[in-house]
């Protein structure tokens, strides 16, 4: 698909360079118009160019500059006319035949990604729960945002590695293994039935805090784990496996694929990282600890403790080096909460300082996010003050979604299979959408009532709108084959203003995706899908697609060009849902 905004920027870029060849990096600003009377797009570069020329003691009004730019616009296939408004805004009116051809292309070829240049190796680090602890609501945001970022980069054609940086190493494993040895002494031959890893963790923590003997044994187990003693590694693997199976249940519910690669993966690489930092002269000794100061950050990284043990700093450095050097990543995105911001910026700056990558060539970025709040605007907790278990939350979502469908008496019109599909689509779709539709940088309030509301910018509304659009052709008895044939030979005329508005809105999809590839803010896609659904409703209310006889209900006339607009809207919505990780249903 063609990115119309980028195409216009190319056209105006040429015009500005021709009009002002001596201006280096002349500002280029093209945006969709907010109101139809100002055309379809606006080029607002004239005002900024005035300021640049003023700095060179050249006095020209923005309006004159705008006129000069318009005069130098090269021949192109998309601009119908240009008007200069106010102090120097250039209002751009697009050609109807251009939009019509692009819509036909979309219908014939399906929703294709915009052109993004060369294919890149992208690593996304997301979800990352801790072994032996349950996934809680805090992991929800990283999991949902990370999956959606991956889906977007995959759709546009990049090679994406989805990594789950599990907390699967460290001193807490000493107490877990020591407790396992006591509770299931024959664990080496008989797989221990650890049903509830959460209580297992609590039991071992209680012993660790109260029993000095046990504490000593726990520390010995850590030493044995680090030296990779076979029996201890077996115990460690058993504990990790139980946890991973529990995590997998949640990933299956949310339809998320991810590769587990925990901190343990980087253990052997840490020695090399410390050695490299020492050889390059970055290490200072502070009370027996090895520390590294990174320019621009007041708190140093601790890369080795005085007892010889490694830290999170060491494993994060080893991880970024492995991703840059062994995986040959062009882009690395860490989807981790805002609280880790300074730590990650320090790690990134250290990687640059050591010479592992050049930020001008390789993009290493922290996609941070705020916390999940309860409806009381405090950290989201259960009534007893505990952290909310993710599995409980998903089950509650399923229950509420079914209640909502039954309230609307959908159980009377859908088959049991259709009802079940609608239930999971609405439950998990609403949980994902409520998260993704908020700017990830802000905290957000978790409310089932709001997310299941079928009015306003919610998944419930959009999923319903989507099934309604899909049903238009079905109720008009038009098959997919007939629609496909029509897309080849029916011109989409866009005569009515609401047809024109919808056609342009559909074709903004590639520029929305390009923006998110740059800033990783997925709420832009949610806002766009909501705008598309409401623009479609305006079109459908004003433009007959199917005319029926009022007495008999028989179909009298089908406007095929408008049916194709319905089809194009649904195709874009379906792809948008796919990027957000939401599964729509045909009937709801």
């Amino acid at each position: 698909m063609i990115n119309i905004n980028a195409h216009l920027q190319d056209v105006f870029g040429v015009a500005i360079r021709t009009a002002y060849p001596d201006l280096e990096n002349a500002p280029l600003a093209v945006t969709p118009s907010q109101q139809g009377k100002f055309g379809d797009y606006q080029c607002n570069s004239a005002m900024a160019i005035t300021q640049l020329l003023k700095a060179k003691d050249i006095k020209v009004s923005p309006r004159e500059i705008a006129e000069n730019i318009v005069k130098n616009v090269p021949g192109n296939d998309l601009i119908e006319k240009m008007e200069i408004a106010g102090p120097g805004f250039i209002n751009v009116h697009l050609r109807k035949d251009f939009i019509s051809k692009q819509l036909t292309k979309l219908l014939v070829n399906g929703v294709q990604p915009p052109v993004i240049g060369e294919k890149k190796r992208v690593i996304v680090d997301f979800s990352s729960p801790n072994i032996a602890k349950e996934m809680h609501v805090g992991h929800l945001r990283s999991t949902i945002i990370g999956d959606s970022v991956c889906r977007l980069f995959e759709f546009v054609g990049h090679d994406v590695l989805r990594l789950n940086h599990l907390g699967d190493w460290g001193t807490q494993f000493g107490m877990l293994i020591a407790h396992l040895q006591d509770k299931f002494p024959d664990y080496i031959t008989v797989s221990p039935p650890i049903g509830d890893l959460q209580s297992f963790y609590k039991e071992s923590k209680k012993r660790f805090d109260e029993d000095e003997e046990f504490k000593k044994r726990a520390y010995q187990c850590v030493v044995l784990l680090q030296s990779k003693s076979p029996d201890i590694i077996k115990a460690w693997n058993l504990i990790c496996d139980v946890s991973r199976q529990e995590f997998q249940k949640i990933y299956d519910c949310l339809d998320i694929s991810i590769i587990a690669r925990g901190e343990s993966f980087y253990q052997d690489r840490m020695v090399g990282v410390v050695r490299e930092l020492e050889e390059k002269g970055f290490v200072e000794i502070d009370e027996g600890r090895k520390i590294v100061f990174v320019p621009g950050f007041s708190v140093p990284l601790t890369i080795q403790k005085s007892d010889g043990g490694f830290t999170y700093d060491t494993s994060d450095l080893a991880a970024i080096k492995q991703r840059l050097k062994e995986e040959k990543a062009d882009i690395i995105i860490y989807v981790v909460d805002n609280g880790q911001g300074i730590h990650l910026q320090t790690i990134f700056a250290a990687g640059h300082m050591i010479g592992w990558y050049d930020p001008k060539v390789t993009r290493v970025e922290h996609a941070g996010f705020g916390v999940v709040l309860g409806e009381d605007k405090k950290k989201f907790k259960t009534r007893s003050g505990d952290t909310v278990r993710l599995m409980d939350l998903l089950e509650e979502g399923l229950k509420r979604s079914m209640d909502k469908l039954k309230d609307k008496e959908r159980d009377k019109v859908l088959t049991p299979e259709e009802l079940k599909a609608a239930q999971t689509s609405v439950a998990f779709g609403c949980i994902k959408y409520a998260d993704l539709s908020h700017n990830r940088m802000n905290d957000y309030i978790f409310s089932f009532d709001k997310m299941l509301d079928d009015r306003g910018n919610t998944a419930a509304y959009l999923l319903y709108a989507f099934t309604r659009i899909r049903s238009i052709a079905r109720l008009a008895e038009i098959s997919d084959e007939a629609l496909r044939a029509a897309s080849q030979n029916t011109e989409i005329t866009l005569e009515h203003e609401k047809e024109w508005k919808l056609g342009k809105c559909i074709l903004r999809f590639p520029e929305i995706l390009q923006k998110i590839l740059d800033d990783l803010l997925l709420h832009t896609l949610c806002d766009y899908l909501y705008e598309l659904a409401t623009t479609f409703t305006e079109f459908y209310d004003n433009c007959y697609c199917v005319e029926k006889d009022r007495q008999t209900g028989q179909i009298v006339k089908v406007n095929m060009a408008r049916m194709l607009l319905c089809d194009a809207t649904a195709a874009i919505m379906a792809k948008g849902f796919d990027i957000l990780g939401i599964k729509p249903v045909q009937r709801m």
Side-chain angles (χ1 to χ4, degrees), residues 232-266:
I232 298 294
I233 288 287
K234 165 103 185 181
W236 170 75
N237 266 321
L238 285 168
I239 293 164
C240 289
D241 285 346
V242 176
S243 254
R244 281 196 289 261
Q245 284 158 15
E246 289 303 307
F247 298 156
Q248 196 53 48
K249 287 177 191 166
I250 285 169
Y251 297 138
D252 289 345
C253 268
L254 295 172
D255 187 30
I256 282 159
S257 62
I258 190 165
I259 293 167
R261 188 182 284 179
E263 290 164 22
S264 60
F265 179 84
Y266 306 100

Side-chain angles (χ1 to χ4, degrees), residues 46-260:
M47 282 67 84
I49 291 172
T50 309
Q51 295 305 318
L52 283 182
L53 292 174
K54 201 172 168 186
K56 297 184 173 192
D57 283 341
I58 304 168
K59 285 194 175 153
V60 199
S61 76
R63 205 172 167 91
E64 282 175 69
I65 290 171
E67 283 164 2
N68 202 6
I69 293 170
V70 168
K71 238 183 1 221
N72 285 283
V73 166
N76 61 80
D77 58 354
L78 75 165
I79 297 176
E80 176 73 39
K81 63 173 182 175
M82 291 170 284
E83 296 158 345
I84 296 165
F89 299 108
I90 303 169
N91 294 340
V92 180
H93 297 261
L94 298 175
R95 287 173 56 162
K96 284 214 167 76
D97 62 342
F98 173 80
I99 295 294
S100 173
K101 275 183 199 141
Q102 295 304 320
L103 289 167
T104 297
K105 231 187 228 176
L106 158 66
L107 288 160
V108 171
N109 302 327
V111 182
Q112 297 296 321
V115 177
I116 44 121
E118 65 195 280
K119 181 175 179 174
K120 294 193 167 159
R121 174 78 161 154
V122 181
I123 292 178
V124 183
D125 173 329
F126 69 106
S127 195
S128 312
N130 291 314
I131 295 288
K133 292 186 181 176
E134 281 184 292
M135 282 178 82
H136 56 78
V137 74
H139 296 114
L140 184 65
R141 298 207 75 183
S142 176
T143 306
I144 290 172
I145 296 165
D147 177 56
S148 193
V149 166
C150 292
R151 286 167 178 269
L152 174 59
F153 278 86
E154 285 158 354
F155 172 59
V156 298
H158 291 309
D159 171 23
V160 180
L161 177 61
R162 300 156 157 260
L163 289 185
N164 200 356
H165 191 72
L166 297 168
D168 66 352
W169 200 257
T171 48
Q172 78 275 21
F173 279 95
M175 64 180 196
L176 290 164
I177 292 166
H179 188 51
L180 181 80
Q181 288 171 330
D182 292 348
K183 206 167 173 186
F184 307 107
D186 53 355
Y187 73 89
I188 290 166
T189 49
V190 182
S191 192
I194 310 175
D196 184 355
L197 201 51
Q198 201 61 17
S199 8
F200 187 84
Y201 182 88
K202 282 180 180 156
E203 288 164 17
S204 66
K205 180 85 175 84
K206 190 170 187 295
R207 291 181 70 191
F208 184 82
D209 292 339
E210 294 169 4
D211 179 346
E212 274 307 310
E213 262 314 294
F214 180 78
K215 196 177 208 167
K216 272 184 201 154
R217 278 188 38 237
Y219 280 132
Q220 283 163 356
C221 285
V222 175
V223 175
L224 289 168
L225 177 65
Q226 285 172 339
S227 59
K228 299 202 167 59
S229 149
D231 288 0
I232 298 294
I233 288 287
K234 165 103 185 181
W236 170 75
N237 266 321
L238 285 168
I239 293 164
C240 289
D241 285 346
V242 176
S243 254
R244 281 196 289 261
Q245 284 158 15
E246 289 303 307
F247 298 156
Q248 196 53 48
K249 287 177 191 166
I250 285 169
Y251 297 138
D252 289 345
C253 268
L254 295 172
D255 187 30
I256 282 159
S257 62
I258 190 165
I259 293 167

Side-chain angles (χ1 to χ4, degrees), residues 231-518:
D231 288 0
I232 298 294
I233 288 287
K234 165 103 185 181
W236 170 75
N237 266 321
L238 285 168
I239 293 164
C240 289
D241 285 346
V242 176
S243 254
R244 281 196 289 261
Q245 284 158 15
E246 289 303 307
F247 298 156
Q248 196 53 48
K249 287 177 191 166
I250 285 169
Y251 297 138
D252 289 345
C253 268
L254 295 172
D255 187 30
I256 282 159
S257 62
I258 190 165
I259 293 167
R261 188 182 284 179
E263 290 164 22
S264 60
F265 179 84
Y266 306 100
Q267 289 306 303
D268 298 341
R269 291 167 172 81
M270 293 195 210
V271 181
V273 165
V274 173
R275 192 169 51 239
E276 182 177 351
L277 284 159
E278 286 177 326
E279 284 166 3
K280 290 186 173 171
F282 291 121
V283 175
E284 295 177 29
I285 306 294
D286 174 55
E287 295 179 358
R289 300 179 308 149
K290 290 180 182 174
I291 61 170
V292 172
F293 279 96
V294 181
F297 297 90
S298 54
V299 179
L301 295 171
T302 299
I303 58 162
Q304 202 163 14
K305 296 185 289 193
S306 53
D307 64 4
F310 297 127
T311 66
Y312 282 129
D313 293 348
T314 336
S315 71
D316 284 340
L317 284 170
I320 197 171
K321 183 183 181 186
Q322 193 275 338
R323 291 162 183 185
L324 290 161
K325 298 294 180 191
E326 294 176 47
E327 299 295 347
K328 308 255 186 296
D330 301 299
I331 299 172
I332 309 176
I333 297 164
Y334 289 75
V335 185
V336 184
D337 70 273
N338 286 335
Q340 299 290 318
I342 291 172
H343 166 70
L344 285 172
Q345 294 308 328
T346 315
I347 294 290
F348 301 165
H352 179 213
M353 174 184 86
I354 300 159
W356 290 338
Y357 78 105
D358 174 0
K360 291 191 185 77
V361 179
T362 308
R363 175 180 174 188
V364 180
E365 193 168 337
H366 172 211
F369 53 84
V371 293
V372 182
L373 304 174
E375 295 191 62
D376 57 0
K377 299 204 168 96
K378 292 185 179 137
K379 252 192 162 176
F380 193 33
K381 301 268 187 196
T382 61
R383 286 204 177 131
S384 59
D386 293 328
T387 312
V388 179
R389 288 176 66 231
L390 203 38
M391 209 57 194
D392 293 346
L393 193 79
L394 298 180
E395 280 164 8
E396 171 81 356
L398 283 169
K399 182 188 161 302
R400 292 206 187 206
S401 148
M402 184 57 87
D403 292 347
K404 185 90 180 171
L405 288 161
K406 285 182 173 169
D407 279 352
K408 303 254 176 196
E409 299 191 337
R410 305 316 293 158
D411 51 329
K412 294 183 177 147
V413 290
L414 299 175
T415 66
E417 290 76 23
E418 285 173 336
L419 186 65
K420 180 97 181 77
Q423 178 196 20
T424 52
S425 170
V426 170
F428 302 144
C430 286
I431 290 171
K432 287 183 180 187
Y433 192 86
D435 192 321
L436 295 167
S437 59
H438 289 86
N439 184 326
R440 63 173 165 78
M441 299 306 292
N442 304 332
D443 298 344
Y444 98 96
I445 295 167
F446 191 98
S447 158
F448 272 124
D449 291 341
K450 279 201 187 113
M451 60 177 78
L452 289 166
D453 193 342
D454 51 15
R455 293 158 306 182
N457 188 1
T458 65
Y461 168 75
L462 288 174
L463 286 164
Y464 175 69
F466 176 79
T467 48
R468 190 172 139 234
I469 296 167
R470 275 274 188 247
S471 69
I472 295 166
R474 193 172 63 237
L475 296 172
E477 294 163 19
I478 300 166
S479 66
D480 287 347
E481 288 70 29
L483 276 171
R484 267 202 297 280
S487 68
Q488 306 269 4
N489 52 37
T490 306
E491 189 192 349
I492 302 169
T493 49
L494 307 170
E495 291 305 324
H496 194 286
E497 61 161 334
K498 299 298 181 189
E499 293 176 314
W500 177 236
K501 187 178 176 183
L502 178 61
K504 288 182 302 178
C505 189
I506 290 167
L507 294 179
R508 276 203 5 252
F509 187 57
E511 61 196 68
I512 297 295
L513 298 189
Q514 185 56 60
K515 184 181 180 302
I516 304 166
L517 288 167
D518 295 338

